Amino acid sequence: QKEVEQDPGPLSVPEGAIVSLNCTYSNSAFQYFMWYRQYSRKGPELLMYTYSSGNKEDGRFTAQVDKSSKYISLFIRDSQPSDSATYLCAMTSQGAQKLVFGQGTRLTINP
Amino acid sequence: SQTIHQWPATLVQPVGSPLSLECTVEGTSNPNLYWYRQAAGRGLQLLFYSVGIGQISSEVPQNLSASRPQDRQFILSSKKLLLSDSGFYLCAWSRGTGNTGELFFGEGSRLTVL
């Protein structure tokens, strides 16, 4: 079993839809959770960073962490074609030098 | 502000030829540095990471090597490339002290081995 599981998709939704992207994990020591967005042929960019359970909102993006269920989500409201990209979840524990990444979900927003 | 530069952006190399990819970070000191590879349609594979000059940790056995000759410089090398070395190579950095996990990536180097 992988430490982090993420459905690779692809996921295709119409413009304006609410998108939900999810990851599950098995290591209860994970404390820091991140979402990266990667456009085609580009390096990943940090989109959201959360610590501890709960929600964090940034514009149209909301990151949610449920440590009891070992489950994290990224919600995109009012999705735009420019949101089309691969989204990778990543997480790590206190003092660790490395992130553990999900496989990434390829998302397409159709105009 | 911190920036990361990676080059070359694209290269095509014959099997058996050497490789050198270079990465530099500006605007920070004592960063942790990382080399990842991303095969087409697949996730990120950590190849090497470094917590200081001359300190290299290898994650997977392969014909690649890494070096950190200066605090903010990280180099990925190979003496003889294989077809399987083709991929998208990403350099990344994180804070060395007070690290809370955030990684910041370069733009990537796309390598095709023919």
Side-chain angles (χ1 to χ4, degrees):
Chain A
Q1 183 187 3
K2 293 181 181 178
E3 273 193 293
V4 178
E5 298 276 2
Q6 182 178 9
D7 186 341
L11 180 62
S12 182
V13 301
E15 183 175 356
I18 296 175
V19 177
S20 173
L21 304 169
N22 312 294
C23 288
T24 59
Y25 62 96
S26 57
N27 188 344
S28 58
F30 287 151
Q31 291 183 296
Y32 305 103
F33 304 91
M34 283 140 273
W35 285 95
Y36 285 84
R37 178 174 63 195
Q38 185 177 21
Y39 291 116
S40 181
R41 310 181 79 86
K42 297 289 186 181
E45 57 177 326
L46 182 62
L47 188 62
M48 296 287 285
Y49 172 86
T50 55
Y51 169 72
S52 77
S53 286
N55 292 356
K56 180 178 181 179
E57 190 172 318
D58 184 0
R60 297 184 293 109
F61 298 90
T62 299
Q64 187 176 79
V65 174
D66 183 346
K67 284 189 173 181
S68 61
S69 301
K70 297 189 179 67
Y71 188 87
I72 68 170
S73 299
L74 177 70
F75 298 97
I76 307 175
R77 293 186 302 278
D78 187 25
S79 56
Q80 304 294 311
S82 59
D83 295 327
S84 298
T86 296
Y87 290 80
L88 301 112
C89 65
M91 49 200 77
T92 190
S93 53
Q94 177 72 35
Q97 301 294 346
K98 299 174 285 184
L99 289 184
V100 180
F101 281 89
Q103 188 176 351
T105 300
R106 187 171 178 179
L107 172 67
T108 300
I109 309 297
N110 300 303
Chain B
S1 64
Q2 300 89 3
T3 57
I4 179 168
H5 303 283
Q6 186 180 344
W7 70 94
T10 306
L11 66 166
V12 180
Q13 296 283 95
V15 170
S17 65
L19 171 74
S20 180
L21 300 179
E22 191 162 340
C23 172
T24 59
V25 179
E26 297 176 359
T28 188
S29 298
N30 305 313
N32 294 335
L33 297 173
Y34 305 80
W35 279 111
Y36 284 85
R37 178 168 58 200
Q38 188 175 37
R42 301 180 68 177
L44 292 167
Q45 180 187 32
L46 179 61
L47 302 175
F48 301 94
Y49 72 95
S50 171
V51 299
I53 296 175
Q55 300 179 60
I56 308 295
S57 296
S58 175
E59 290 294 299
V60 292
Q62 57 208 324
N63 70 322
L64 299 172
S65 62
S67 62
R68 185 170 178 173
Q70 299 181 48
D71 181 46
R72 291 170 290 173
Q73 184 185 26
F74 207 23
I75 298 171
L76 183 68
S77 304
S78 173
K79 292 182 179 179
K80 288 185 177 181
L81 284 168
L82 306 173
L83 285 173
S84 58
D85 291 324
S86 293
F88 192 47
Y89 289 83
L90 289 156
C91 182
W93 73 275
S94 67
R95 294 181 189 86
T97 54
N99 182 18
T100 51
E102 299 127 290
L103 268 185
F104 303 93
F105 287 87
E107 286 294 290
S109 298
R110 186 163 301 280
L111 169 66
T112 302
V113 182
L114 301 175

